């Protein structure tokens, strides 16, 4: 098999595999933390809560390690695959006009240019809008929820909150001090989430004025 055909095939297969696996690891959606629930939301019972934890914010690297990270970036599989595609495509086109060492040089230049001018920028745009990891119930602390129904005599009832772009329902319980004070919660009342209990899928809430 022609060396340039092989280079084009290997690089193309590698880029395609990385693109498919990379896009598949990012589920679409937007974070819903901190939003009030409007009256127009339809609330459906039994929504499942997202199970994955939000990622921690990355820490900046020390300037002294910049050269090391730039070197590692040159060894990335994506860069290798895209350069291979460029070498293969350039070589197949240029072999009709030149040969020998000049063809090799042109193929290498074409591979580097293909990565730098086309694949690199396109790859960044492709994953630029990748969604953030799904939020969990813990992230809703201090958010606003609404009572789906009036709370019972024990200060408990269903509440609805927006979590990771979806409206979910969980059991809400008034704080002890609110129950002692005789606070009543009616359907549609706005509540603040004070604490969460993910094991039992419930929240401790307080009324909002």
């Amino acid at each position: 098999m022609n060396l340039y055909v092989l280079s084009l095939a290997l690089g193309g297969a590698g880029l395609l595999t990385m693109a498919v696996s990379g896009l598949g690891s990012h589920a679409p959606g937007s974070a819903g933390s901190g939003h009030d629930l409007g009256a127009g939301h339809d609330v459906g019972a039994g929504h499942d809560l997202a199970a994955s934890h939000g990622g921690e914010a990355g820490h900046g690297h020390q300037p002294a390690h910049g050269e090391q990270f730039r070197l590692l970036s040159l060894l990335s599989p994506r860069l290798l695959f895209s350069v291979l595609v460029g070498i293969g495509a350039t070589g197949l086109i240029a072999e009709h006009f030149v040969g020998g060492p000049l063809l090799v040089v042109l193929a290498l230049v074409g591979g580097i240019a293909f990565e730098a001018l086309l694949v690199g920028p396109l790859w960044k745009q492709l994953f630029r809008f990748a969604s953030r990891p799904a939020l969990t119930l813990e992230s809703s602390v201090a958010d606003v929820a609404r009572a789906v129904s009036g709370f019972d005599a024990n200060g408990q009832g269903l509440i609805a909150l927006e979590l990771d772009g979806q409206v979910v329902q969980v059991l809400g319980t008034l704080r002890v001090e609110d129950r002692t004070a005789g606070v009543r919660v009616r359907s549609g009342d706005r509540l603040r989430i004070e604490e969460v209990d993910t094991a039992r899928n419930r929240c401790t809430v307080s009324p909002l004025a």
Side-chain angles (χ1 to χ4, degrees), residues 153-170:
N154 295 321
Q156 295 183 333
L158 281 178
I159 63 173
L161 63 147
E162 190 175 336
L163 187 65
D164 205 29
Q166 297 184 8
V167 178
V168 298
Q169 290 185 359
V170 296

Side-chain angles (χ1 to χ4, degrees), residues 10-144:
L10 288 176
L15 282 179
L16 180 61
T17 301
M18 290 187 68
V20 171
S21 62
L23 287 175
S25 67
H26 294 90
S30 60
S33 174
H35 295 292
D36 190 7
L37 297 178
H41 281 89
D42 292 327
V43 180
H47 285 291
D48 293 330
L49 292 175
S52 60
H53 288 281
E56 296 181 357
H59 296 287
H61 295 296
Q62 296 293 335
H65 299 299
E67 293 298 329
Q68 298 178 18
F69 284 100
R70 278 193 287 271
L71 178 60
L72 289 176
S73 68
L74 294 177
L75 303 177
S76 74
R78 196 269 303 162
L79 187 146
L80 174 62
F81 289 140
S82 62
V83 170
L84 282 175
V85 170
I87 289 175
T90 304
L92 288 175
I93 295 173
E95 68 181 356
H96 297 291
F97 307 100
V98 298
L102 181 58
L103 176 59
V104 176
V105 172
L106 285 176
L108 288 174
V109 171
I112 295 172
F114 181 73
E115 152 61 24
L117 301 178
L118 182 61
V119 177
L122 180 62
W123 200 269
K124 291 178 181 178
Q125 288 295 324
L126 186 62
F127 294 101
R128 182 178 179 180
F129 300 106
S131 63
R132 289 179 291 181
L135 300 177
T136 59
L137 188 58
E138 292 100 326
S139 66
S140 64
V141 173
D143 284 354
V144 176

